[in-house]
Amino acid sequence: MIIVPILLYHSVSADPAGWIAPFAVDPPTFARHVELMAASGRTPMTAASLTDALREGRALPARPLVVTFDDGFADFADAAPVLAARHIPCTLYVTTGALRGPHLSDRLCLPPARMLAWSQLAELTGYDIEIAAHTHTHPQLDTLREQAAAAEIHRCKDLLEDATGQQIRSFAYPHGFHSPRVRRQARAAGYTGAAAVGDSFSSDADDRFALARLTVRSTTTIDELTAWLSGRDAHIAPRPEAWRTKLWRTYRRLRGPRSTRGVITLPDQPSRSPGGI
């Protein structure tokens, strides 16, 4: 089995919005992370490159690495050149209703923060960045009715393809929350793969429509990141779902969209395992 660390970042800022601060790293720390990635001997890939290999049955590099960012915070524009300087591609999962510009949503399920503008997306592709989809308003897809979930999954893809002129092939579930129905909808929308969270390593045996990722938090230490890059100190997907995660999903579905709004940060909640924003 080939272990694939898929790192999940959000904001790279010394002064992030309060609600995203637990999931933010400051620029000097991020620069150190990038140096560790470059020195790890791993082969960086985009999410689409990974899922293409899984879909086609092609062999992965011996030591692959995927770097991802969720949501589309404005500070990503400063993080992208840092990765590019070390020839590390990445995947940016964009919440289209959060971007500054014509499609800003008044039903956004994220608290306020400074986000990228639509006009910046074309500029970012010059840094070997895969632009990918993360719904339009960032809802909990597995609590929505089927038609509403499908609209979220399709609309962000359509908007991004219109804006970039490129096929959008990768998707990420908000908060990492998904279900068999949601996974089928992502596949039917034309994506070639989708990312969850799980705080685990992915692997060449992972479900390409539920890729496991490792969440980089403000509290993630250099030693922890070094261990992940070495393939240590995390579970490997695919693995059985924890019973606490199943109970948490049932609770959320019973409550529907009222169950959470925005970021889930309390460490004693079962949602820490799927985690993410």
Side-chain angles (χ1 to χ4, degrees):
M1 177 179 289
I2 295 178
I3 292 174
V4 186
I6 304 181
L7 303 179
L8 166 54
Y9 288 90
H10 290 88
S11 175
V12 178
S13 173
D15 186 27
W19 64 271
I20 195 61
F23 295 90
V25 296
D26 60 56
T29 299
F30 181 69
R32 176 61 176 146
H33 288 189
V34 173
E35 292 302 316
L36 290 172
M37 295 175 205
S40 69
R42 291 193 169 272
T43 301
M45 312 172 70
T46 62
S49 296
L50 172 63
T51 56
D52 280 351
L54 296 178
R55 176 170 55 93
E56 297 167 8
R58 289 189 281 107
L60 294 174
R63 291 172 56 80
L65 169 68
V66 181
V67 181
T68 69
F69 288 78
D70 278 13
D71 300 322
F73 293 93
D75 50 63
F76 178 77
D78 298 319
V82 179
L83 287 163
R86 299 311 303 258
H87 307 288
I88 299 174
C90 69
T91 297
L92 171 65
Y93 294 106
V94 177
T95 302
T96 51
L99 296 190
R100 289 179 286 127
H103 306 292
L104 187 65
S105 174
D106 59 2
R107 300 180 62 188
L108 192 64
C109 298
L110 289 174
R114 184 164 176 76
M115 309 301 284
L116 291 167
W118 278 98
S119 59
Q120 293 177 276
L121 294 185
E123 303 167 12
L124 291 173
T125 57
Y127 289 117
D128 198 8
I129 294 164
E130 178 196 6
I131 302 297
H134 195 38
T135 71
H136 187 63
T137 68
H138 206 278
Q140 301 173 60
L141 289 173
D142 59 341
T143 67
L144 299 183
R145 294 183 182 274
E146 184 169 358
Q147 185 175 1
E152 286 281 348
I153 291 168
H154 282 82
R155 185 178 184 190
C156 55
K157 188 176 194 295
D158 292 343
L159 289 173
L160 289 169
E161 289 181 343
D162 286 345
T164 64
Q166 300 177 357
Q167 183 182 9
I168 302 301
R169 301 162 57 204
S170 300
F171 182 76
Y173 309 106
H175 313 282
F177 296 154
H178 57 90
S179 65
R181 171 177 61 82
V182 172
R183 294 193 298 273
R184 288 193 299 270
Q185 288 177 307
R187 188 187 297 266
Y191 297 105
T192 58
V197 184
D199 285 332
S200 302
F201 292 117
S202 186
S203 74
D204 55 352
D206 204 359
D207 181 347
R208 63 185 172 93
F209 279 89
L211 295 173
R213 294 189 288 172
L214 296 158
T215 306
V216 181
R217 296 176 167 84
S218 61
T219 54
T220 300
T221 67
I222 292 298
D223 286 345
E224 286 177 306
L225 184 66
T226 300
W228 291 346
L229 292 171
S230 299
R232 298 183 286 107
D233 294 355
H235 295 288
I236 303 172
R239 63 192 183 100
E241 189 173 61
W243 66 267
R244 295 205 319 162
T245 302
K246 294 178 181 178
L247 288 177
W248 179 238
R249 180 184 297 117
T250 300
Y251 168 78
R252 289 187 303 99
R253 288 177 181 169
L254 288 173
R255 287 184 56 82
R258 298 173 299 158
S259 59
T260 59
R261 180 177 176 84
V263 186
I264 303 167
T265 60
L266 298 179
D268 59 342
Q269 289 189 10
S271 57
R272 182 174 177 85
S273 178
I277 300 169

